[in-house]
């Protein structure tokens, strides 16, 4: 098999429901790398929040913030922070509606709200502490993603008010907010510009709503894999659907695709 470029989502793809990487997945990725394939991460997480995974898998290439911040072999190759004026308007509208908002830069997460049950619930789902309270931090550093704690009923008003932004549901209480023309698919396009790979060489693995564009794009020329636990929208556009993440879905797909032998 020709050398492939493999992109792995984290939550629900690399991480199982216990928030750990199954041994079968670790072994499969190690074997794929030993056979000459290149490994990268494609996640909605920030760089500081994927360090544990990248260290565990010895990966120094990643697409983070759903495509807003891309690193290849330790070097930043694409960076698309949310414009400050847009963040200021978003913050103002959130404040007017008593909606919590969290800001993510390359190094940390800060919150405009000191304490909120919905923010805490979402952080608990990630096994992450409450963000530091700092309502002014976003004004002095590049922010690549925001977490906006809106209900589905509130969401249309924000979509209408901010056509320059994309609102992607990641938790029952919260949306990821990024630039409207950026996604993991965009990140992959930027990534391959800096390598000798083509889209036909790419294989992606994902499960969530923020993986749909990536799975759909890569399926056109390469191969995209939706996990058995993936949302229906991801399964509909993927090249293949594998088993549940808790049932060795990642390793099974890699065997099926000929990336390694069982």
């Amino acid at each position: 098999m020709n050398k492939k470029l493999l992109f792995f989502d984290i939550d629900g793809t690399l991480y199982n429901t216990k928030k750990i990487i199954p041994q079968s997945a670790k072994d499969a990725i190690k074997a794929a790398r030993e056979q000459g394939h290149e490994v990268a991460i494609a996640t909605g997480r920030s760089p500081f929040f994927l360090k544990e995974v990248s260290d565990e898998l010895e990966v120094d290439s990643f697409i983070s913030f759903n495509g807003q911040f891309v690193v290849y072999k330790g070097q930043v190759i694409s960076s698309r922070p949310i414009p400050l004026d847009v963040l200021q308007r978003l913050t103002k509208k959130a404040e007017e509606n008593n909606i919590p908002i969290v800001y993510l830069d390359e190094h940390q997460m800060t919150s405009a709200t000191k304490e909120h049950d919905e923010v805490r619930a979402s952080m608990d789902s990630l096994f992450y502490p409450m963000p530091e309270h700092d309502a002014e931090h976003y004004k002095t550093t590049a922010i690549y993603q925001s977490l906006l704690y809106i209900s589905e009923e509130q969401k249309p008003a924000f979509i209408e008010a901010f056509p320059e932004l994309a609102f992607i549901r990641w938790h029952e209480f919260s949306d990821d907010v990024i630039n409207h023309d950026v996604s993991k698919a965009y990140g992959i396009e930027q990534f391959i510009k800096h390598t000798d790979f083509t889209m036909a060489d790419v294989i992606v693995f994902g499960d969530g709503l923020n993986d749909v564009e990536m799975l759909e794009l890569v399926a056109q020329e390469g191969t995209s894999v939706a996990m058995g636990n993936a949302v229906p929208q991801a399964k509909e556009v993927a090249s293949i659907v594998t088993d549940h993440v808790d049932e060795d879905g990642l390793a099974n797909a890699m065997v099926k695709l000929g990336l390694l032998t069982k």
Side-chain angles (χ1 to χ4, degrees), residues 81-82 84 87 103-108 110 136-144:
I82 301 173
L84 177 58
L87 271 176
Y103 312 102
L104 291 85
D105 63 29
E106 181 185 350
H107 303 289
Q108 64 179 323
T110 55
E136 301 293 314
H137 181 69
Y138 78 93
K139 297 178 180 180
T140 58
T141 191
I143 300 298
Y144 293 93

Side-chain angles (χ1 to χ4, degrees), residues 16 22 24 228-229 242-252:
N16 61 17
S24 63
N229 48 282
T242 187
D243 302 308
H244 194 287
V245 65
D246 291 339
E247 298 170 354
D248 299 324
L250 204 59
N252 292 344

Side-chain angles (χ1 to χ4, degrees), residues 113-238:
T113 307
K114 282 187 177 180
E115 180 64 47
H116 196 280
D117 289 344
E118 291 184 358
V119 177
R120 181 167 293 281
S122 70
M123 294 298 118
D124 286 348
S125 75
L126 298 172
F127 297 91
Y128 197 81
M130 277 290 289
E132 177 186 348
H133 173 240
D134 188 341
E136 301 293 314
H137 181 69
Y138 78 93
K139 297 178 180 180
T140 58
T141 191
I143 300 298
Y144 293 93
Q145 183 169 293
S146 176
L147 307 181
L148 190 65
Y149 290 79
I150 50 174
S151 66
E152 291 292 355
E153 291 73 27
Q154 294 169 312
K155 189 170 177 174
F158 278 84
I159 291 174
E160 182 178 357
F162 298 93
E164 60 271 82
L165 298 176
F167 298 81
I168 307 163
R169 205 69 173 172
W170 74 274
H171 185 271
E172 64 174 314
F173 296 136
S174 180
D175 273 30
D176 285 335
V177 182
I178 59 175
N179 291 310
H180 77 100
D181 57 345
V182 176
S183 65
K184 291 184 183 181
Y186 171 88
I188 288 174
E189 290 173 332
Q190 305 314 304
F191 196 101
I192 62 177
K193 288 178 182 178
H194 293 78
T195 73
D196 294 328
F197 292 102
T198 67
M199 196 64 76
D201 300 317
V202 175
I203 303 177
V204 296
F205 303 78
D207 73 297
L209 288 172
N210 64 342
D211 295 317
V212 172
E213 293 96 338
M214 171 180 76
L215 294 166
E216 186 172 26
L217 172 72
V218 175
Q220 296 173 21
E221 298 181 48
T223 303
S224 60
V225 181
M227 304 301 290
N229 48 282
V231 297
Q233 297 94 320
K235 292 180 179 179
E236 288 170 6
V237 300

